[in-house]
Amino acid sequence: MDLDALIARYRRTVTGVEAESCDCGEQVLAGDEWRARGCGYLYEYLFDITFRDTLQDAIDAGSLSSDQAIQVRDVDERLKALLAENKIDTTGVRFWNNGVPRAISD
């Protein structure tokens, strides 16, 4: 997967958690329905957030353009806000592994 696609996937994950919704193909699922169909569950979130680990590897390797790095930082700030709402520590290089946003169900 190319870096722009990874950034888009990361952005889509964070946007979905912010809105507590997803576009699962034919219909938009929101709130309880979002959780009931799996998108808002822990296992799905943990799978989706692994794309941020891959992006960090690219950052560490110096593979991102300055524009791509800015895009990742912007999405990072949005994710940090979601994590902070759930009283999750947002420090550290791989802060997204410190916990999950409030909207995610076990």
Side-chain angles (χ1 to χ4, degrees):
M1 190 176 289
D2 71 40
L3 293 173
D4 288 325
L6 285 171
I7 294 167
R9 184 83 186 251
Y10 177 44
R11 183 181 301 111
R12 188 172 70 227
T13 296
V14 172
T15 299
V17 175
E18 286 172 330
E20 295 186 30
S21 68
C22 66
D23 180 357
C24 290
E26 300 164 9
Q27 63 181 337
V28 174
L29 303 175
D32 290 338
E33 190 176 19
W34 173 66
R35 286 178 200 82
R37 295 279 294 272
C39 297
Y41 276 113
L42 181 62
Y43 66 87
E44 186 71 27
Y45 172 79
L46 293 176
F47 172 76
D48 289 343
I49 206 66
T50 62
F51 292 102
R52 182 58 181 87
D53 286 312
T54 306
L55 284 169
Q56 188 61 44
D57 294 342
I59 291 167
D60 294 344
S63 301
L64 269 65
S65 70
S66 59
D67 182 56
Q68 289 171 325
I70 289 168
Q71 290 178 55
V72 172
R73 279 194 304 268
D74 289 347
V75 180
D76 281 350
E77 291 307 312
R78 292 168 50 198
L79 179 57
K80 284 179 179 183
L82 292 168
L83 292 169
E85 286 177 12
N86 206 23
K87 299 185 183 358
I88 303 298
D89 177 21
T90 59
T91 60
V93 174
R94 294 181 185 259
F95 69 89
W96 56 91
N97 290 321
N98 294 348
V100 298
R102 169 192 50 76
I104 302 300
S105 297
D106 301 55

